Amino acid sequence: MNYVKNQLTVMRSNLLKEIEGINPELMDVQPEGFNNTIHWHLGHVLTAAENFLLKSNSELPANYSQLFGYGSKPANWTGDVPTVELLKQQLHEQLDRLLEIPEERLTEKTAQPFNGMETVGEFINFVVLHEANHIGQIHAMKLLIQSHN
């Protein structure tokens, strides 16, 4: 289990490190060729991890799936959108909750298999890979946005 917890910790640390020092005004810039903003990516990573691993005890507001779920985009946002600062705080808090998943749950079958994944351990692996993908997107967007501002 230590390697699983390490993967979750390293990936979340990499995500938060990637956004350090970005001017807050640039978090909502949507560069040409991208469907979303850095602000959206943060909410999406948070929401996806919550839905895949913590759904039964979710601590996120119900509207997060609408704001940040698969296929969502900032252009369609309505209502109360959480700030980047709140999302960063929630990403920290969520990591603590992810690290509390007991080792014996890794082989537990989930109620809803997805893309061939059936166990909690497989979903944790997916969440780590998913987060890595979004860190790459954020990195590319950050470079593009900062080169134009």
Side-chain angles (χ1 to χ4, degrees), residues 19-91:
I19 61 168
E20 265 179 31
I22 297 177
N23 182 329
E25 294 170 12
L26 303 181
M27 293 289 197
D28 288 300
V29 171
Q30 184 174 326
E32 190 175 333
F34 288 86
N35 295 328
N36 292 298
T37 63
I38 294 172
H39 186 166
W40 178 88
H41 280 281
L42 296 175
H44 177 73
V45 165
L46 175 73
T47 302
E50 194 82 10
N51 288 341
F52 283 120
L53 296 171
L54 301 167
K55 193 170 194 116
S56 57
N57 339 315
S58 180
E59 293 186 7
L60 298 182
N63 70 332
Y64 276 38
S65 288
Q66 180 185 357
L67 294 170
F68 304 115
Y70 182 78
S72 65
K73 56 187 176 186
N76 296 337
W77 282 352
T78 57
D80 190 20
V81 177
T83 65
V84 168
E85 285 306 311
L86 177 59
L87 292 173
K88 284 168 39 176
Q89 176 188 336
Q90 290 169 326
L91 285 161

Side-chain angles (χ1 to χ4, degrees), residues 103-135:
E103 185 171 357
E104 56 271 13
R105 286 206 52 221
L106 291 181
T107 55
E108 180 183 302
K109 298 257 187 191
T110 59
Q112 293 182 310
F114 175 77
N115 279 356
M117 296 174 290
E118 297 181 348
T119 66
V120 171
E122 289 170 331
F123 276 92
I124 288 174
N125 188 52
F126 174 77
V127 163
V128 169
L129 293 171
H130 178 256
E131 198 155 326
N133 175 50
H134 284 277
I135 291 169

